[in-house]
Amino acid sequence: MAEQTALADIRDDDRGGRPDAAVVRDALGVGIAVGLSGFAFGVTSAGSGLTVWQTCALSLLVFTGASQFALVGALAAGGNPLTAAAGAFFLGVRNAFYGLRLSQLLALPRAVRPFAAQWVIDETTAVSLAQRDRRGARIGFAVTGLSLYVLWNLTTLLGALGAEAIGDTDAWGLDAAGPAVFLALLAPMLKSTTERAAAALAVLLGLGLLPVLPGGVPVLVAALAAPLALWAEGRRQGRARGEAEEERR
């Protein structure tokens, strides 16, 4: 009910938001800061055995950093391509839920939605939801999406070309670039206790199973951390409600 009221407020009043220049400044800041990490993806992807054109195609067509890093990371570890693709797919599913929320918030024309869907990622969602009116949300989404898409693909190309020039990326320690960027993107999103618990459990499952399972499979198993953490949180809340009801009696 509260969410419906908030949506109604956004729909009916587009005059109480921040100045356009402030929204553009913040959106560009996010787009540039994250877009530069495309260089790390280009280096990591080329180091895992993909060609420059395959690497660039991933950024152009997939355009979701965590899924891209997961894919090339699994391939670099010797994982089966299907298993690696499955792990990347599960990470990318979250964008579908972002799309459900943004479709109500942005209310874009139907002809524009298929093109806007390519830009529905963590960063554009965060910037859009941070705005107080629909106009600001649309500007934030467009500026973040455009700047990030252009810069991410440009730095992906430069990274892939640079990886070919420097030769063995493992000798430079660049194989750690992908996981480092992924953690940098993920860490600010872990705000609640349940989210932190799910992340910690995923790390334990992934690292614990890494020596005994084929490459890419530990990532899929680690995905079970989310439903397990939610189940445990549901049981905890259920017990708390039960205790509260007994106290009232």
Side-chain angles (χ1 to χ4, degrees):
M1 187 66 178
E3 183 178 6
Q4 292 176 351
T5 302
L7 287 173
D9 292 342
I10 291 175
R11 184 180 299 112
D12 295 336
D13 185 4
D14 282 350
R15 296 172 297 177
R18 302 166 61 215
D20 292 352
V23 178
V24 170
R25 181 192 63 232
D26 292 347
L28 281 175
V30 173
I32 293 172
V34 179
L36 291 174
S37 62
F39 182 84
F41 170 73
V43 171
T44 305
S45 180
S48 70
L50 296 183
T51 66
V52 172
W53 297 113
Q54 288 172 328
T55 297
C56 291
L58 278 175
S59 284
L60 285 167
L61 301 177
V62 178
F63 187 55
T64 171
S67 297
Q68 293 177 230
F69 277 116
L71 176 63
V72 299
L75 292 176
N80 182 284
L82 293 178
T83 304
F89 171 79
F90 283 119
L91 281 174
V93 165
R94 71 192 188 284
N95 293 336
F97 296 99
Y98 294 160
L100 293 175
R101 180 66 178 87
L102 290 179
S103 66
Q104 296 177 309
L105 176 63
L106 301 177
L108 297 173
R110 291 186 180 275
V112 177
R113 292 178 187 178
F115 302 98
Q118 177 71 352
W119 291 353
V120 176
I121 54 176
D122 298 327
E123 292 75 21
T124 55
T125 301
V127 172
S128 298
L129 294 178
Q131 309 311 315
R132 295 192 291 266
D133 65 341
R134 175 163 291 147
R135 176 181 175 84
R138 286 178 170 178
I139 293 174
F141 178 85
V143 174
T144 305
L146 178 61
S147 60
L148 182 50
Y149 188 78
V150 171
L151 193 55
W152 177 269
N153 281 282
L154 177 60
T155 55
T156 292
L157 174 61
L158 294 176
L161 293 174
E164 288 192 344
I166 65 177
D168 184 9
T169 56
D170 289 344
W172 293 76
L174 295 177
D175 54 323
V181 173
F182 178 77
L183 289 175
L185 293 173
L186 179 64
M189 303 176 194
L190 304 178
K191 298 178 180 179
S192 69
T193 302
T194 303
E195 291 169 345
R196 295 190 186 100
L201 181 57
V203 170
L204 292 175
L205 288 173
L207 294 179
L209 296 174
L210 192 61
V212 296
L213 292 179
V217 176
V219 175
L220 298 179
V221 178
L224 297 174
L228 288 174
L230 291 173
W231 174 79
E233 176 64 14
R235 284 183 60 86
R236 186 191 67 79
Q237 292 180 356
R239 287 195 300 269
R241 285 194 297 267
E243 292 173 357
E245 289 176 359
E246 288 185 1
E247 289 179 357
R248 285 197 297 268
R249 292 174 186 174

